[in-house]
Amino acid sequence: METDFSRFVNFGSVANKDKRAELASSIYEQLQKKQNAKTLSNGDTDNFAAAIEKILSNEAMQELCAKDPSLAKQVTQDILDFVNKTKRHILKTGNPFEKERQLLEEFKTTQAQTFEKSWENIASFIAETYSGQIIDTEFYHNEFQKSLDAQENNSKKISFQSVKEHFTDKWDALLFQKELQRELEIIEEQRKKFCEELYRQIEQLKKLQELLAPFTNELGRLWDMSRGRWQKVNFDVLKKYADLLERDKSLQELAEMLGRMRQAEREYEEEIFASTIFKPAWKAEHAAKEELVGIRESDDISSMLPAEAALLADEDTELLFYKKFVEKKLQTFDYQAKILSWEEEQVKDKRQKEKEGKKGPFIVCVDTSGSMHGTPETVAKTLCFALLKTAVRENRKCYLISFSTQIETLELTDMKNNLEKLVEFLSMSFNGGTDAGPAMREALKMLQREDYQKADCLMISDFVMGAFDEQTKNQIAAAKENKTKFHSLVIGGSGNQKTITEFDSNWLYNPNDKNCLLQFVKDFNNRQGPLQNTAP
Protein backbone atom coordinates (compact mmCIF):
# COMPACT_ATOMS: atom_id res chain seq x y z
CA MET A 1 0.00 0.00 0.00
CA GLU A 2 2.99 2.29 0.50
CA THR A 3 3.50 2.34 -3.27
CA ASP A 4 -0.02 3.69 -3.82
CA PHE A 5 0.09 6.35 -1.07
CA SER A 6 3.84 6.98 -0.95
CA ARG A 7 3.60 10.77 -0.64
CA PHE A 8 1.49 10.55 2.51
CA VAL A 9 3.58 7.69 3.92
CA ASN A 10 6.90 9.46 3.31
CA PHE A 11 5.94 13.07 4.04
CA GLY A 12 2.70 13.02 6.06
CA SER A 13 2.28 15.18 9.16
CA VAL A 14 0.83 12.60 11.54
CA ALA A 15 2.53 9.81 13.52
CA ASN A 16 5.63 8.17 12.03
CA LYS A 17 6.27 6.55 8.66
CA ASP A 18 5.29 3.02 9.74
CA LYS A 19 2.08 4.22 11.39
CA ARG A 20 1.18 6.29 8.32
CA ALA A 21 1.60 3.21 6.13
CA GLU A 22 -0.67 1.25 8.48
CA LEU A 23 -3.21 4.08 8.43
CA ALA A 24 -3.37 4.21 4.62
CA SER A 25 -3.62 0.43 4.39
CA SER A 26 -6.35 0.25 7.04
CA ILE A 27 -8.56 2.89 5.37
CA TYR A 28 -8.23 1.24 1.95
CA GLU A 29 -8.92 -2.26 3.29
CA GLN A 30 -11.95 -1.06 5.26
CA LEU A 31 -13.36 0.59 2.13
CA GLN A 32 -12.82 -2.68 0.27
CA LYS A 33 -14.47 -4.52 3.21
CA LYS A 34 -11.53 -6.87 3.63
CA GLN A 35 -11.80 -9.13 6.67
CA ASN A 36 -8.21 -8.56 7.82
CA ALA A 37 -8.52 -4.74 7.90
CA LYS A 38 -6.68 -3.37 10.94
CA THR A 39 -8.64 -1.35 13.51
CA LEU A 40 -7.28 2.16 14.08
CA SER A 41 -6.51 3.75 17.46
CA ASN A 42 -6.04 7.40 18.46
CA GLY A 43 -2.53 6.66 19.69
CA ASP A 44 -1.50 5.43 16.23
CA THR A 45 -3.16 8.26 14.31
CA ASP A 46 -2.56 11.44 16.35
CA ASN A 47 -6.21 11.44 17.54
CA PHE A 48 -7.75 10.96 14.07
CA ALA A 49 -9.08 7.40 14.62
CA ALA A 50 -12.59 8.41 15.76
CA ALA A 51 -13.00 10.95 12.94
CA ILE A 52 -11.88 8.41 10.31
CA GLU A 53 -14.26 5.83 11.73
CA LYS A 54 -17.15 8.29 11.34
CA ILE A 55 -16.11 9.11 7.76
CA LEU A 56 -15.99 5.43 6.83
CA SER A 57 -19.44 4.73 8.32
CA ASN A 58 -21.28 6.06 5.24
CA GLU A 59 -23.10 3.03 3.78
CA ALA A 60 -23.38 4.38 0.23
CA MET A 61 -19.64 5.02 0.09
CA GLN A 62 -18.88 1.57 1.52
CA GLU A 63 -21.09 -0.11 -1.07
CA LEU A 64 -19.50 1.70 -4.02
CA CYS A 65 -15.89 1.33 -2.83
CA ALA A 66 -16.30 -2.36 -2.05
CA LYS A 67 -17.12 -2.96 -5.73
CA ASP A 68 -14.36 -0.85 -7.26
CA PRO A 69 -10.70 -0.89 -6.06
CA SER A 70 -9.82 2.22 -8.08
CA LEU A 71 -12.59 4.21 -6.38
CA ALA A 72 -11.53 2.88 -2.96
CA LYS A 73 -8.00 4.07 -3.72
CA GLN A 74 -9.13 7.57 -4.70
CA VAL A 75 -11.41 7.94 -1.65
CA THR A 76 -8.58 6.69 0.57
CA GLN A 77 -6.31 9.37 -0.88
CA ASP A 78 -8.96 12.03 -0.23
CA ILE A 79 -9.26 10.92 3.42
CA LEU A 80 -5.48 10.94 3.84
CA ASP A 81 -5.37 14.46 2.40
CA PHE A 82 -8.03 15.49 4.94
CA VAL A 83 -5.90 14.03 7.78
CA ASN A 84 -2.75 15.77 6.55
CA LYS A 85 -4.36 19.18 6.00
CA THR A 86 -6.17 19.09 9.34
CA LYS A 87 -3.00 18.17 11.23
CA ARG A 88 -1.14 21.04 9.58
CA HIS A 89 -4.01 23.37 10.43
CA ILE A 90 -3.74 22.33 14.09
CA LEU A 91 0.00 22.96 14.12
CA LYS A 92 -0.34 26.27 12.28
CA THR A 93 -2.95 27.70 14.65
CA GLY A 94 -0.61 27.13 17.60
CA ASN A 95 -1.31 25.93 21.14
CA PRO A 96 -3.53 28.35 23.17
CA PHE A 97 -2.28 26.64 26.33
CA GLU A 98 1.38 27.27 25.57
CA LYS A 99 1.82 29.68 28.52
CA GLU A 100 0.40 27.12 30.94
CA ARG A 101 2.60 24.38 29.44
CA GLN A 102 5.66 26.60 29.94
CA LEU A 103 4.73 27.31 33.59
CA LEU A 104 4.33 23.60 34.24
CA GLU A 105 7.69 22.72 32.72
CA GLU A 106 9.41 25.47 34.72
CA PHE A 107 7.82 24.31 37.98
CA LYS A 108 9.02 20.76 37.34
CA THR A 109 12.58 22.06 37.77
CA THR A 110 11.82 23.93 41.01
CA GLN A 111 13.99 22.98 43.97
CA ALA A 112 13.09 23.14 47.66
CA GLN A 113 15.27 26.23 48.14
CA THR A 114 13.27 28.31 45.63
CA PHE A 115 9.87 26.76 46.27
CA GLU A 116 8.24 29.67 48.14
CA LYS A 117 9.05 32.17 45.37
CA SER A 118 7.79 29.83 42.58
CA TRP A 119 4.71 28.62 44.45
CA GLU A 120 3.27 32.09 44.89
CA ASN A 121 2.90 32.57 41.11
CA ILE A 122 1.88 28.97 40.42
CA ALA A 123 -0.80 28.88 43.13
CA SER A 124 -2.30 32.12 41.85
CA PHE A 125 -2.42 30.79 38.25
CA ILE A 126 -3.92 27.42 39.31
CA ALA A 127 -6.59 29.14 41.42
CA GLU A 128 -7.62 31.30 38.44
CA THR A 129 -7.59 28.38 35.99
CA TYR A 130 -9.04 25.44 37.92
CA SER A 131 -11.60 25.15 40.71
CA GLY A 132 -10.50 24.06 44.17
CA GLN A 133 -12.34 20.78 43.72
CA ILE A 134 -10.09 19.90 40.78
CA ILE A 135 -6.77 21.08 42.25
CA ASP A 136 -6.75 22.13 45.92
CA THR A 137 -3.78 24.52 46.13
CA GLU A 138 -4.14 24.90 49.91
CA PHE A 139 -3.82 21.14 50.34
CA TYR A 140 -0.71 20.99 48.18
CA HIS A 141 0.82 24.00 49.92
CA ASN A 142 0.42 22.24 53.28
CA GLU A 143 1.95 19.07 51.83
CA PHE A 144 4.90 21.03 50.47
CA GLN A 145 5.42 22.65 53.92
CA LYS A 146 5.36 19.26 55.59
CA SER A 147 7.97 17.97 53.16
CA LEU A 148 10.19 21.00 53.75
CA ASP A 149 9.87 20.58 57.54
CA ALA A 150 10.71 16.90 57.23
CA GLN A 151 13.73 17.81 55.12
CA GLU A 152 14.98 20.17 57.87
CA ASN A 153 14.51 17.42 60.48
CA ASN A 154 16.22 14.86 58.22
CA SER A 155 13.02 12.85 58.19
CA LYS A 156 12.28 10.52 55.25
CA LYS A 157 8.56 10.33 56.02
CA ILE A 158 7.64 12.62 53.11
CA SER A 159 9.91 14.13 50.46
CA PHE A 160 9.61 17.40 48.58
CA GLN A 161 10.22 15.61 45.27
CA SER A 162 7.35 13.15 45.72
CA VAL A 163 4.87 15.94 46.55
CA LYS A 164 6.05 17.91 43.51
CA GLU A 165 5.69 14.90 41.21
CA HIS A 166 2.18 14.21 42.49
CA PHE A 167 1.17 17.83 41.92
CA THR A 168 2.78 18.19 38.47
CA ASP A 169 1.41 14.82 37.27
CA LYS A 170 -2.11 15.90 38.14
CA TRP A 171 -1.63 19.31 36.53
CA ASP A 172 -0.04 17.69 33.46
CA ALA A 173 -3.01 15.33 33.06
CA LEU A 174 -5.50 18.21 33.24
CA LEU A 175 -3.51 20.28 30.77
CA PHE A 176 -3.13 17.33 28.38
CA GLN A 177 -6.89 16.79 28.49
CA LYS A 178 -7.49 20.42 27.50
CA GLU A 179 -4.97 20.20 24.66
CA LEU A 180 -6.50 16.91 23.49
CA GLN A 181 -10.02 18.32 23.63
CA ARG A 182 -8.95 21.31 21.55
CA GLU A 183 -7.45 19.03 18.88
CA LEU A 184 -10.53 16.80 18.82
CA GLU A 185 -12.81 19.82 18.40
CA ILE A 186 -10.74 21.07 15.44
CA ILE A 187 -10.68 17.60 13.89
CA GLU A 188 -14.45 17.24 14.31
CA GLU A 189 -15.07 20.68 12.80
CA GLN A 190 -12.90 19.88 9.78
CA ARG A 191 -14.42 16.38 9.50
CA LYS A 192 -17.93 17.83 9.17
CA LYS A 193 -16.79 20.14 6.35
CA PHE A 194 -14.93 17.30 4.62
CA CYS A 195 -17.86 14.87 4.93
CA GLU A 196 -20.31 17.40 3.56
CA GLU A 197 -18.31 17.59 0.32
CA LEU A 198 -17.34 13.89 0.29
CA TYR A 199 -20.89 12.61 0.71
CA ARG A 200 -22.18 15.11 -1.88
CA GLN A 201 -19.68 13.60 -4.32
CA ILE A 202 -20.84 10.09 -3.39
CA GLU A 203 -24.46 10.97 -4.15
CA GLN A 204 -23.40 12.61 -7.42
CA LEU A 205 -21.35 9.53 -8.26
CA LYS A 206 -24.37 7.26 -7.70
CA LYS A 207 -26.38 9.42 -10.09
CA LEU A 208 -23.60 9.39 -12.69
CA GLN A 209 -23.25 5.63 -12.29
CA GLU A 210 -26.93 5.13 -13.05
CA LEU A 211 -27.00 7.52 -16.00
CA LEU A 212 -23.67 6.48 -17.54
CA ALA A 213 -24.01 2.75 -16.98
CA PRO A 214 -24.50 2.24 -20.75
CA PHE A 215 -20.97 3.60 -21.22
CA THR A 216 -18.87 2.57 -18.24
CA ASN A 217 -19.00 0.89 -14.86
CA GLU A 218 -15.57 2.19 -13.87
CA LEU A 219 -16.43 4.22 -10.77
CA GLY A 220 -12.85 5.44 -10.43
CA ARG A 221 -13.17 7.16 -13.82
CA LEU A 222 -16.42 8.84 -12.73
CA TRP A 223 -15.09 10.07 -9.36
CA ASP A 224 -13.37 13.10 -10.89
CA MET A 225 -16.58 13.92 -12.78
CA SER A 226 -18.52 14.03 -9.51
CA ARG A 227 -16.23 16.83 -8.27
CA GLY A 228 -16.94 19.25 -11.10
CA ARG A 229 -19.75 20.90 -12.97
CA TRP A 230 -21.48 17.68 -14.02
CA GLN A 231 -24.41 18.16 -11.64
CA LYS A 232 -25.48 21.05 -13.90
CA VAL A 233 -25.72 18.84 -17.00
CA ASN A 234 -29.04 17.23 -17.96
CA PHE A 235 -27.89 13.62 -18.01
CA ASP A 236 -31.52 12.44 -18.07
CA VAL A 237 -31.32 12.56 -21.86
CA LEU A 238 -28.79 9.70 -21.69
CA LYS A 239 -31.27 7.63 -19.72
CA LYS A 240 -33.90 8.38 -22.35
CA TYR A 241 -31.77 6.94 -25.16
CA ALA A 242 -30.64 4.02 -23.00
CA ASP A 243 -34.30 3.12 -22.53
CA LEU A 244 -34.97 3.49 -26.28
CA LEU A 245 -32.02 1.24 -27.05
CA GLU A 246 -33.30 -1.32 -24.58
CA ARG A 247 -36.69 -1.37 -26.33
CA ASP A 248 -35.34 -1.50 -29.89
CA LYS A 249 -32.87 -4.40 -29.83
CA SER A 250 -32.29 -4.15 -33.59
CA LEU A 251 -30.26 -0.95 -33.24
CA GLN A 252 -28.14 -2.49 -30.52
CA GLU A 253 -27.56 -5.53 -32.74
CA LEU A 254 -26.56 -3.26 -35.62
CA ALA A 255 -24.07 -1.43 -33.40
CA GLU A 256 -22.60 -4.72 -32.21
CA MET A 257 -22.41 -5.93 -35.81
CA LEU A 258 -20.53 -2.82 -36.91
CA GLY A 259 -18.15 -3.43 -34.03
CA ARG A 260 -17.36 -6.85 -35.52
CA MET A 261 -17.21 -5.78 -39.18
CA ARG A 262 -13.50 -5.05 -39.20
CA GLN A 263 -11.91 -8.41 -38.61
CA ALA A 264 -8.60 -8.31 -36.79
CA GLU A 265 -6.00 -7.92 -39.54
CA ARG A 266 -2.77 -9.82 -39.59
CA GLU A 267 0.39 -7.77 -39.21
CA TYR A 268 3.98 -8.72 -38.62
CA GLU A 269 6.55 -7.65 -36.10
CA GLU A 270 10.14 -8.61 -35.45
CA GLU A 271 10.72 -11.03 -32.60
CA ILE A 272 14.21 -11.02 -31.14
CA PHE A 273 15.83 -14.19 -29.75
CA ALA A 274 18.98 -13.96 -27.68
CA SER A 275 21.42 -16.56 -26.37
CA THR A 276 23.00 -15.24 -23.19
CA ILE A 277 26.60 -15.63 -21.94
CA PHE A 278 27.35 -14.75 -18.30
CA LYS A 279 30.75 -13.26 -17.39
CA PRO A 280 32.02 -12.47 -13.85
CA ALA A 281 32.73 -8.80 -13.09
CA TRP A 282 33.26 -6.52 -10.07
CA LYS A 283 30.49 -3.95 -9.81
CA ALA A 284 30.27 -0.77 -7.72
CA GLU A 285 27.18 -0.92 -5.49
CA HIS A 286 26.13 2.57 -4.31
CA ALA A 287 23.28 1.29 -2.12
CA ALA A 288 25.68 -0.67 0.12
CA LYS A 289 27.04 1.65 2.82
CA GLU A 290 30.52 0.24 3.06
CA GLU A 291 32.62 3.28 2.14
CA LEU A 292 31.72 7.00 1.94
CA VAL A 293 33.10 8.31 -1.35
CA GLY A 294 31.38 11.69 -1.73
CA ILE A 295 28.05 13.38 -2.33
CA ARG A 296 25.60 12.75 -5.16
CA GLU A 297 22.06 13.70 -6.26
CA SER A 298 19.36 11.08 -5.67
CA ASP A 299 16.02 10.42 -3.95
CA ASP A 300 17.56 8.28 -1.17
CA ILE A 301 15.96 9.85 1.93
CA SER A 302 17.93 7.64 4.34
CA SER A 303 21.22 9.14 3.05
CA MET A 304 20.23 12.79 2.53
CA LEU A 305 22.21 15.66 4.03
CA PRO A 306 20.77 17.47 7.09
CA ALA A 307 20.39 20.63 5.00
CA GLU A 308 17.85 18.86 2.80
CA ALA A 309 15.86 17.67 5.82
CA ALA A 310 15.69 21.29 6.94
CA LEU A 311 13.76 22.14 3.74
CA LEU A 312 11.03 19.68 4.73
CA ALA A 313 10.75 21.16 8.23
CA ASP A 314 9.84 24.62 6.89
CA GLU A 315 6.45 25.14 5.17
CA ASP A 316 7.96 27.83 2.94
CA THR A 317 10.53 25.38 1.48
CA GLU A 318 8.53 22.16 1.75
CA LEU A 319 7.43 22.23 -1.92
CA LEU A 320 11.07 22.71 -2.97
CA PHE A 321 11.94 19.53 -1.05
CA TYR A 322 9.16 17.59 -2.84
CA LYS A 323 10.36 18.91 -6.20
CA LYS A 324 13.97 17.84 -5.53
CA PHE A 325 12.76 14.45 -4.26
CA VAL A 326 10.65 13.75 -7.38
CA GLU A 327 13.48 14.90 -9.68
CA LYS A 328 15.99 12.79 -7.68
CA LYS A 329 18.11 15.88 -6.98
CA LEU A 330 18.40 15.69 -3.20
CA GLN A 331 21.98 16.09 -1.94
CA THR A 332 22.83 12.68 -0.44
CA PHE A 333 25.92 10.91 0.85
CA ASP A 334 27.42 8.58 -1.76
CA TYR A 335 28.49 5.21 -0.46
CA GLN A 336 30.15 2.52 -2.47
CA ALA A 337 31.01 -1.11 -2.15
CA LYS A 338 32.30 -3.56 -4.72
CA ILE A 339 30.48 -6.81 -5.20
CA LEU A 340 30.98 -9.71 -7.53
CA SER A 341 28.28 -9.82 -10.17
CA TRP A 342 27.67 -11.35 -13.57
CA GLU A 343 27.47 -9.46 -16.84
CA GLU A 344 25.30 -10.70 -19.68
CA GLU A 345 26.44 -10.80 -23.29
CA GLN A 346 23.67 -11.53 -25.77
CA VAL A 347 23.88 -12.89 -29.30
CA LYS A 348 20.69 -11.70 -31.00
CA ASP A 349 18.71 -13.25 -33.82
CA LYS A 350 15.49 -12.03 -35.46
CA ARG A 351 12.43 -13.52 -37.10
CA GLN A 352 9.07 -12.27 -38.31
CA LYS A 353 6.21 -12.91 -35.89
CA GLU A 354 2.56 -12.59 -36.83
CA LYS A 355 0.47 -10.34 -34.57
CA GLU A 356 -3.19 -9.48 -34.43
CA GLY A 357 -4.12 -5.90 -35.21
CA LYS A 358 -6.54 -3.85 -33.13
CA LYS A 359 -10.03 -2.98 -34.25
CA GLY A 360 -10.22 0.44 -35.85
CA PRO A 361 -12.12 3.54 -34.79
CA PHE A 362 -15.62 4.65 -35.87
CA ILE A 363 -16.40 7.73 -37.96
CA VAL A 364 -20.15 8.40 -37.84
CA CYS A 365 -21.84 10.92 -40.15
CA VAL A 366 -25.36 11.82 -38.96
CA ASP A 367 -27.90 13.66 -41.10
CA THR A 368 -29.49 16.38 -38.93
CA SER A 369 -31.57 18.01 -41.66
CA GLY A 370 -35.26 18.77 -41.33
CA SER A 371 -36.30 15.69 -43.33
CA MET A 372 -34.92 13.56 -40.46
CA HIS A 373 -37.26 15.12 -37.90
CA GLY A 374 -39.39 12.70 -35.87
CA THR A 375 -38.75 8.95 -35.89
CA PRO A 376 -35.64 9.09 -38.16
CA GLU A 377 -34.07 11.58 -35.73
CA THR A 378 -34.75 9.28 -32.77
CA VAL A 379 -33.32 6.28 -34.64
CA ALA A 380 -30.17 8.21 -35.61
CA LYS A 381 -29.52 9.43 -32.07
CA THR A 382 -30.18 6.03 -30.53
CA LEU A 383 -27.75 4.31 -32.91
CA CYS A 384 -25.09 6.94 -32.14
CA PHE A 385 -25.67 6.21 -28.47
CA ALA A 386 -25.22 2.47 -29.10
CA LEU A 387 -22.05 2.99 -31.16
CA LEU A 388 -20.50 5.13 -28.45
CA LYS A 389 -21.28 2.42 -25.91
CA THR A 390 -19.45 -0.10 -28.10
CA ALA A 391 -16.51 2.27 -28.72
CA VAL A 392 -15.98 2.97 -25.01
CA ARG A 393 -16.28 -0.70 -24.07
CA GLU A 394 -13.74 -1.75 -26.73
CA ASN A 395 -11.50 1.29 -26.19
CA ARG A 396 -12.02 2.46 -29.79
CA LYS A 397 -12.06 6.06 -30.94
CA CYS A 398 -15.37 7.44 -32.16
CA TYR A 399 -15.70 10.64 -34.23
CA LEU A 400 -19.16 12.13 -34.82
CA ILE A 401 -19.92 14.42 -37.79
CA SER A 402 -23.42 15.92 -37.81
CA PHE A 403 -24.50 17.59 -41.04
CA SER A 404 -27.33 19.48 -42.69
CA THR A 405 -26.15 22.47 -44.72
CA GLN A 406 -23.09 22.75 -42.43
CA ILE A 407 -21.17 20.25 -40.30
CA GLU A 408 -20.40 19.97 -36.59
CA THR A 409 -17.80 17.53 -35.25
CA LEU A 410 -17.28 15.84 -31.91
CA GLU A 411 -14.75 13.22 -30.74
CA LEU A 412 -16.89 11.10 -28.45
CA THR A 413 -14.25 8.81 -26.95
CA ASP A 414 -12.90 11.46 -24.57
CA MET A 415 -15.70 10.99 -22.03
CA LYS A 416 -14.42 13.38 -19.39
CA ASN A 417 -14.14 16.39 -21.67
CA ASN A 418 -16.88 15.74 -24.23
CA LEU A 419 -19.74 14.11 -22.34
CA GLU A 420 -21.48 17.46 -22.00
CA LYS A 421 -21.28 17.96 -25.79
CA LEU A 422 -22.74 14.50 -26.39
CA VAL A 423 -25.72 15.45 -24.21
CA GLU A 424 -26.10 18.63 -26.27
CA PHE A 425 -26.11 16.58 -29.50
CA LEU A 426 -28.73 14.17 -28.17
CA SER A 427 -30.85 17.15 -27.07
CA MET A 428 -30.68 19.13 -30.33
CA SER A 429 -33.51 19.41 -32.86
CA PHE A 430 -32.91 18.40 -36.49
CA ASN A 431 -33.69 21.07 -39.11
CA GLY A 432 -32.33 22.71 -42.29
CA GLY A 433 -31.38 21.35 -45.69
CA THR A 434 -29.22 18.36 -46.63
CA ASP A 435 -25.69 18.39 -48.05
CA ALA A 436 -23.74 15.20 -47.29
CA GLY A 437 -20.68 16.20 -49.32
CA PRO A 438 -18.91 18.27 -46.61
CA ALA A 439 -19.54 15.51 -44.03
CA MET A 440 -18.04 12.82 -46.26
CA ARG A 441 -15.06 15.04 -47.07
CA GLU A 442 -14.49 15.62 -43.34
CA ALA A 443 -14.61 11.86 -42.79
CA LEU A 444 -12.09 11.34 -45.62
CA LYS A 445 -9.86 14.00 -44.08
CA MET A 446 -9.98 12.19 -40.70
CA LEU A 447 -8.87 9.00 -42.44
CA GLN A 448 -5.57 10.75 -43.20
CA ARG A 449 -4.82 11.04 -39.50
CA GLU A 450 -2.63 8.29 -38.10
CA ASP A 451 -5.08 7.40 -35.31
CA TYR A 452 -8.03 7.12 -37.75
CA GLN A 453 -6.38 5.41 -40.73
CA LYS A 454 -8.17 2.12 -40.07
CA ALA A 455 -11.55 3.62 -39.23
CA ASP A 456 -14.92 2.26 -40.33
CA CYS A 457 -17.20 4.99 -41.67
CA LEU A 458 -20.99 4.94 -41.13
CA MET A 459 -23.47 7.44 -42.57
CA ILE A 460 -26.96 7.63 -41.01
CA SER A 461 -29.51 9.44 -43.20
CA ASP A 462 -32.75 9.18 -45.14
CA PHE A 463 -30.47 9.83 -48.17
CA VAL A 464 -32.90 12.34 -49.62
CA MET A 465 -29.95 14.17 -51.15
CA GLY A 466 -27.91 14.61 -54.32
CA ALA A 467 -25.10 12.25 -55.38
CA PHE A 468 -21.49 12.84 -54.31
CA ASP A 469 -19.30 14.79 -56.75
CA GLU A 470 -16.65 12.92 -58.77
CA GLN A 471 -13.75 14.05 -56.62
CA THR A 472 -15.43 12.75 -53.47
CA LYS A 473 -16.26 9.45 -55.20
CA ASN A 474 -12.61 9.04 -56.23
CA GLN A 475 -11.47 9.72 -52.67
CA ILE A 476 -13.93 7.13 -51.35
CA ALA A 477 -12.57 4.58 -53.82
CA ALA A 478 -8.99 5.34 -52.75
CA ALA A 479 -9.94 4.93 -49.08
CA LYS A 480 -11.53 1.55 -49.84
CA GLU A 481 -8.24 0.40 -51.34
CA ASN A 482 -6.66 1.32 -48.00
CA LYS A 483 -9.09 -1.15 -46.33
CA THR A 484 -11.58 1.45 -45.05
CA LYS A 485 -15.17 0.15 -44.96
CA PHE A 486 -18.08 2.50 -45.71
CA HIS A 487 -21.50 1.60 -44.27
CA SER A 488 -24.89 3.27 -44.48
CA LEU A 489 -28.07 3.12 -42.43
CA VAL A 490 -30.91 4.20 -44.71
CA ILE A 491 -33.96 5.39 -42.78
CA GLY A 492 -37.10 5.07 -44.92
CA GLY A 493 -37.44 4.02 -48.54
CA SER A 494 -36.97 7.31 -50.42
CA GLY A 495 -33.16 7.49 -50.54
CA ASN A 496 -31.07 8.35 -53.60
CA GLN A 497 -29.95 4.99 -55.05
CA LYS A 498 -26.83 6.49 -56.69
CA THR A 499 -25.54 7.82 -53.37
CA ILE A 500 -26.34 4.65 -51.43
CA THR A 501 -24.42 2.40 -53.82
CA GLU A 502 -21.15 4.18 -52.96
CA PHE A 503 -21.14 2.27 -49.64
CA ASP A 504 -19.74 -1.20 -49.03
CA SER A 505 -22.78 -2.32 -47.04
CA ASN A 506 -26.20 -0.88 -46.41
CA TRP A 507 -28.91 -1.35 -43.81
CA LEU A 508 -32.51 -0.31 -44.19
CA TYR A 509 -34.57 0.89 -41.25
CA ASN A 510 -38.18 1.28 -42.32
CA PRO A 511 -40.20 2.99 -39.57
CA ASN A 512 -43.33 1.36 -41.00
CA ASP A 513 -41.86 -2.15 -40.74
CA LYS A 514 -40.38 -2.78 -37.30
CA ASN A 515 -39.06 -6.23 -38.30
CA CYS A 516 -37.13 -5.10 -41.38
CA LEU A 517 -33.80 -4.41 -39.72
CA LEU A 518 -34.10 -7.34 -37.36
CA GLN A 519 -34.53 -9.74 -40.27
CA PHE A 520 -31.52 -8.25 -42.06
CA VAL A 521 -29.32 -8.62 -38.97
CA LYS A 522 -30.37 -12.23 -38.69
CA ASP A 523 -29.57 -12.87 -42.35
CA PHE A 524 -26.15 -11.23 -41.95
CA ASN A 525 -25.27 -13.34 -38.93
CA ASN A 526 -26.01 -16.49 -40.97
CA ARG A 527 -24.22 -15.27 -44.12
CA GLN A 528 -20.93 -16.85 -45.17
CA GLY A 529 -18.22 -14.62 -46.62
CA PRO A 530 -18.23 -10.82 -47.10
CA LEU A 531 -21.44 -8.82 -47.03
CA GLN A 532 -22.75 -7.74 -50.46
CA ASN A 533 -24.33 -4.38 -51.24
CA THR A 534 -28.06 -4.47 -50.48
CA ALA A 535 -29.19 -0.98 -51.31
CA PRO A 536 -32.94 -0.48 -51.02
Side-chain angles (χ1 to χ4, degrees), residues 483-502:
K483 300 182 180 180
T484 296
K485 300 294 183 182
F486 291 85
H487 314 288
S488 73
L489 173 61
V490 183
I491 302 177
S494 303
N496 185 335
Q497 186 78 14
K498 293 182 179 179
T499 306
I500 296 171
T501 53
E502 295 295 333

Side-chain angles (χ1 to χ4, degrees), residues 242-455:
D243 292 341
L244 288 172
L245 191 61
E246 183 67 23
R247 290 199 295 269
D248 193 342
K249 297 292 186 181
S250 62
L251 291 175
Q252 180 65 58
E253 290 182 51
L254 176 56
E256 297 292 338
M257 188 190 312
L258 286 168
R260 296 191 298 268
M261 282 296 290
R262 178 175 291 278
Q263 299 298 322
E265 299 174 5
R266 295 295 174 180
E267 298 178 353
Y268 291 89
E269 61 182 353
E270 283 190 344
E271 187 175 31
I272 299 176
F273 296 89
S275 56
T276 306
I277 301 174
F278 294 92
K279 293 182 177 180
W282 287 100
K283 180 181 178 182
E285 182 66 34
H286 291 278
K289 298 183 179 181
E290 181 174 306
E291 179 181 0
L292 178 63
V293 297
I295 293 175
R296 65 191 179 104
E297 290 185 340
S298 74
D299 62 347
D300 185 3
I301 296 178
S302 63
S303 300
M304 69 180 177
L305 273 62
E308 301 288 28
L311 296 177
L312 182 60
D314 190 335
E315 286 189 0
D316 293 335
T317 58
E318 185 179 5
L319 290 178
L320 176 59
F321 176 87
Y322 293 150
K323 181 175 183 296
K324 296 179 72 174
F325 175 78
V326 170
E327 295 176 351
K328 298 184 179 182
K329 291 187 177 181
L330 291 174
Q331 294 291 314
T332 58
F333 293 111
D334 188 13
Y335 299 95
Q336 181 176 300
K338 291 184 178 180
I339 60 173
L340 182 62
S341 63
W342 298 88
E343 292 183 350
E344 297 181 7
E345 182 176 335
Q346 295 183 336
V347 179
K348 297 181 180 179
D349 193 12
K350 298 179 181 179
R351 75 176 182 185
Q352 293 294 314
K353 177 186 176 182
E354 194 175 53
K355 68 175 183 179
E356 191 172 283
K358 295 181 179 180
K359 294 180 180 179
F362 293 116
I363 298 177
V364 185
C365 302
V366 184
D367 184 354
T368 58
S369 65
S371 63
M372 290 282 287
H373 184 72
T375 300
E377 174 184 328
T378 302
V379 171
K381 290 179 178 178
T382 306
L383 182 56
C384 284
F385 184 91
L387 285 170
L388 176 58
K389 176 182 173 182
T390 301
V392 172
R393 185 181 66 245
E394 298 181 357
N395 197 27
R396 301 170 70 174
K397 288 181 175 293
C398 188
Y399 191 76
L400 174 65
I401 306 169
S402 59
F403 67 91
S404 57
T405 52
Q406 295 181 331
I407 66 170
E408 298 286 342
T409 63
L410 175 62
E411 186 149 18
L412 297 176
T413 314
D414 188 357
M415 291 277 293
K416 185 174 179 180
N417 294 317
N418 285 319
L419 193 56
E420 190 173 352
K421 293 180 181 178
L422 171 63
V423 171
E424 290 178 3
F425 167 74
L426 295 175
S427 303
M428 70 179 289
S429 297
F430 288 8
N431 54 62
T434 307
D435 185 359
M440 181 57 72
R441 286 191 288 274
E442 173 68 15
L444 291 165
K445 187 172 92 172
M446 288 297 297
L447 291 170
Q448 303 303 313
R449 279 178 36 173
E450 183 177 352
D451 52 346
Y452 277 89
Q453 283 182 355
K454 294 183 179 181

Side-chain angles (χ1 to χ4, degrees), residues 27-43:
I27 293 173
Y28 177 79
E29 289 173 357
Q30 288 188 63
L31 286 171
Q32 283 274 279
K33 291 189 175 181
K34 295 186 178 180
Q35 294 182 350
N36 60 345
K38 182 179 179 181
T39 304
L40 300 171
S41 68
N42 276 337

Side-chain angles (χ1 to χ4, degrees), residues 55 161 293 366 455 471 520:
I55 293 171
Q161 190 64 27
V293 297
V366 184
Q471 182 179 0
F520 189 87

